[in-house]
Amino acid sequence: AACSSGVGLPGMNLTSPITVIYQTVEDGLGDTIKPRLMEAGADEERVINIVEDTDPLSLSDERIEQAILETGARVMILDPMQGYIREDIDMNRANEIRGVLKKLSAVADRTGCAIILVGHLNKAKGNSSQYRGLGSIDFRAAARSVLLVGRLKNQPYVRVVVHDKSSLAPEGKSMAFNLGNEEGFRWLEGYSEITAEELLNGYTEGTKTAKAEELILDMLDGGKEVYADDIFKAAKNKNISNRTVNEAKKNIKNIKSKKVGKGWVWYIPE
């Protein structure tokens, strides 16, 4: 919806609207997809669908490149990708999936169209994020960028988007959005530090601040006086931002600061 209307996503500047090809095997186009697009302000004329009523589409289908070239689409979404695997292909076998993805990647290269594959997670909790996708790990290996979307454990209407893999550029900050209640869809702030592993393991808002508080108290234990810069560095190693450290310091309340040399020292009075 954002791309078709020329608005773009947060931090994304579009010079003009983009045509998008959207394929789904899970939701009805008329009763589900179209109402959602309308609610999100999409330009419906720029959201295209390849008709597959009698001839199901697959990842290696020649109609994909043909549709991209005919419409000038810059984005194509296949949702979910497992629904576009041919019956004679075992999605759990790397040697069978590799050839399919190589062909699809070549289409993206030739056309300049970004191809987005939406996938589901398996139920193997506790595993690293790279092993949580259904099917062969080659799905992840072939992708240049992987985003993980999950909901917060204590806030079911908040979804967080984590950049879990980036081969061509630095990983982006995590982003969050509201979905599913009377407020509808809207982007949220304040979730940029959440990692993929935290999200998969049931992240609860406040976890980072609690970790920061624990770190500060540990470093200042026994009346130690520690430079704030050293605390910030230790927190950074645990993927905790300076902002969260400062919030944790406020929560602890009895921490004092004093200027020593060129820096500030934190301590807890006896």
Side-chain angles (χ1 to χ4, degrees):
C3 290
S4 70
S5 61
V7 175
L9 302 175
M12 175 183 178
N13 296 317
L14 291 181
T15 57
S16 60
I18 293 174
T19 296
V20 179
I21 300 175
Y22 184 79
Q23 302 295 134
T24 179
V25 296
E26 293 193 334
D27 295 310
L29 296 177
D31 61 8
T32 304
I33 302 303
K34 184 174 180 178
R36 288 177 179 174
L37 288 171
M38 292 174 64
E39 182 181 3
D43 180 347
E44 296 175 55
E45 293 185 359
R46 288 189 174 274
V47 183
I48 311 298
N49 178 263
I50 300 172
V51 179
E52 48 180 321
D53 294 339
T54 58
D55 188 11
L57 198 68
S58 71
L59 295 181
S60 55
D61 200 307
E62 294 181 356
R63 287 178 293 170
I64 289 178
E65 184 168 7
Q66 180 182 351
I68 293 172
L69 293 174
E70 288 181 357
T71 63
R74 313 314 293 167
V75 175
M76 180 172 192
I77 302 170
L78 294 146
D79 177 18
M81 59 187 179
Q82 289 86 0
Y84 293 94
I85 304 294
R86 295 201 322 259
E87 292 182 357
D88 60 329
I89 299 291
D90 186 343
M91 72 176 188
N92 295 298
R93 297 179 67 88
N95 63 320
E96 295 187 25
I97 287 298
R98 197 170 297 129
V100 173
L101 297 179
K102 185 177 181 180
K103 183 175 180 179
L104 191 62
S105 178
V107 171
D109 286 338
R110 287 194 297 268
T111 63
C113 179
I115 298 179
I116 301 173
L117 304 178
V118 180
H120 294 306
L121 299 177
N122 59 44
K123 301 185 182 300
K125 293 184 178 180
N127 281 354
S128 170
S129 60
Q130 61 184 316
Y131 297 110
R132 287 297 307 275
L134 282 177
S136 169
I137 196 172
D138 268 56
F139 282 113
R140 178 188 175 91
R144 300 300 81 200
S145 180
V146 176
L147 301 175
L148 176 70
V149 182
R151 69 177 70 198
L152 296 188
K153 187 175 181 180
N154 65 334
Q155 294 192 69
Y157 299 123
V158 175
R159 269 75 160 177
V160 180
V161 185
V162 178
H163 205 174
D164 193 32
K165 172 189 174 181
S166 182
S167 300
L168 303 179
E171 292 180 1
K173 293 284 188 180
S174 297
M175 301 167 64
F177 58 91
N178 183 88
L179 187 70
N181 58 7
E182 64 279 358
E183 296 180 24
F185 178 91
R186 62 185 177 89
W187 291 104
L188 303 173
E189 296 182 356
Y191 298 90
S192 62
E193 303 162 31
I194 299 177
T195 67
E197 306 306 328
E198 289 172 335
L199 191 60
L200 288 171
N201 292 323
Y203 182 91
T204 300
E205 187 176 20
T207 299
K208 286 278 188 176
T209 304
K211 287 183 178 180
E213 291 175 14
E214 182 180 351
L215 174 67
I216 293 170
L217 290 172
D218 183 58
M219 293 185 72
L220 301 184
D221 185 47
K224 297 175 186 174
E225 297 186 353
V226 182
Y227 278 102
D229 284 347
D230 291 335
I231 295 176
F232 289 134
K233 288 177 183 177
K236 185 177 181 180
N237 290 334
K238 296 180 179 293
N239 198 38
I240 301 173
S241 71
N242 291 357
R243 181 184 63 80
T244 302
V245 172
N246 285 323
E247 285 295 320
K249 179 178 180 250
K250 291 178 183 178
N251 291 343
I252 297 173
K253 295 185 183 338
N254 59 337
I255 293 180
K256 301 295 183 181
S257 302
K258 64 181 179 180
K259 191 74 177 291
V260 177
K262 294 183 179 180
W264 287 90
V265 164
W266 291 2
Y267 65 98
I268 298 177
E270 294 291 341

